Amino acid sequence: GTNNKGVIKINKNGLVVYDEYLGLPNKFVYDLFVDSSNRVWVFFFEGAAIIENGKVVIPEFLSRFQKTAITSIAEDKRGRVCITTVSTAYALIGNEFVEFFNVGNSKEVRLQEMLIWNDDIWFGTKEAGILRLRANKVQNISAENGLPGKIVSAIFQDSQNRIWIGSEKKLVLYDKNRKKAIKIF
């Protein structure tokens, strides 16, 4: 994904540029995600498209987000694509995005990042650390759990099933069993 050239795919034959001439509605790409069906989800500051089998498509289920900033995307173990906006999380069920979590109208708490791990969903936020959704209960992971700041912009699960958290101040290794940050870099 590029800042003004659309999406560039490199293959054995060279480069393929997905831009307005190939149907991409915006050439300023914010983020990319490849799902388990090998579709490339393309996000812009407002709106989204999918590149599937070499063609740009904008399915009806994405139309509700054409004037909305999508802040993160993940896929659960059942293959459902989930996205967040600044206040709401949605899961693609069939051909419709269904809301499953909402922080309300708070201007202070904004969803920025999402990690789906087993049956837990971790939301990195602006101003509230991490919100962890498990069995329809929300746990707040914050300074009380050793998080060194209120802004979380990255959450990552590594190959050893450890959770890494990028905050505005530090990089944190989180121990899910002890429910606290165990190492701060």
Side-chain angles (χ1 to χ4, degrees):
T2 69
N3 192 26
N4 67 357
K5 302 282 187 210
V7 174
I8 300 173
K9 176 183 176 182
I10 302 171
N11 63 26
K12 63 182 175 184
N13 299 322
L15 301 177
V16 177
V17 179
Y18 292 92
D19 56 16
E20 61 271 14
Y21 301 109
L22 289 182
L24 203 64
N26 191 327
K27 61 184 181 178
F28 297 93
V29 177
Y30 178 74
D31 202 0
L32 297 173
F33 178 79
V34 180
D35 68 17
S36 61
S37 297
N38 217 23
R39 297 178 293 187
V40 179
W41 295 69
V42 183
F43 297 100
F44 315 104
F45 179 70
E46 291 183 341
I50 294 174
I51 300 173
E52 185 172 20
N53 299 320
K55 304 226 183 293
V56 176
V57 295
I58 304 174
E60 183 62 31
F61 58 73
L62 284 177
S63 64
R64 77 184 300 166
F65 303 109
Q66 292 310 314
K67 299 285 184 199
T68 305
I70 295 171
T71 57
S72 66
I73 183 169
E75 189 171 12
D76 69 14
K77 63 184 177 183
R78 294 176 197 93
R80 293 181 297 208
V81 171
C82 300
I83 64 171
T84 60
T85 63
V86 294
S87 63
T88 309
Y90 301 87
L92 183 59
I93 299 174
N95 284 322
E96 180 181 4
F97 272 103
V98 177
E99 179 181 322
F100 69 88
F101 182 73
N102 191 313
V103 294
N105 293 327
S106 172
K107 294 196 188 303
E108 294 176 7
V109 179
R110 297 174 49 124
L111 301 177
Q112 296 195 138
E113 183 65 28
M114 175 177 42
L115 170 69
I116 300 175
W117 184 42
N118 296 327
D119 290 324
D120 293 357
I121 302 175
W122 300 58
F123 299 103
T125 71
K126 182 177 181 186
E127 298 302 325
I130 292 176
L131 300 176
R132 180 179 175 195
L133 181 62
R134 180 180 210 175
N136 293 326
K137 293 182 182 175
V138 177
Q139 171 195 6
N140 182 231
I141 299 170
S142 62
E144 294 172 4
N145 309 94
L147 206 59
K150 294 180 179 180
I151 299 174
V152 173
S153 56
I155 307 171
F156 179 76
Q157 174 191 345
D158 68 17
S159 61
Q160 298 174 8
N161 287 328
R162 297 178 299 185
I163 301 292
W164 293 89
I165 301 166
S167 76
E168 84 270 25
K169 296 183 178 184
K170 302 281 183 176
L171 176 65
V172 176
L173 178 58
Y174 183 80
D175 185 324
K176 63 187 178 304
N177 297 321
R178 293 174 23 203
K179 297 181 181 165
K180 68 179 208 172
I182 57 170
K183 196 162 190 178
I184 300 174
F185 302 90

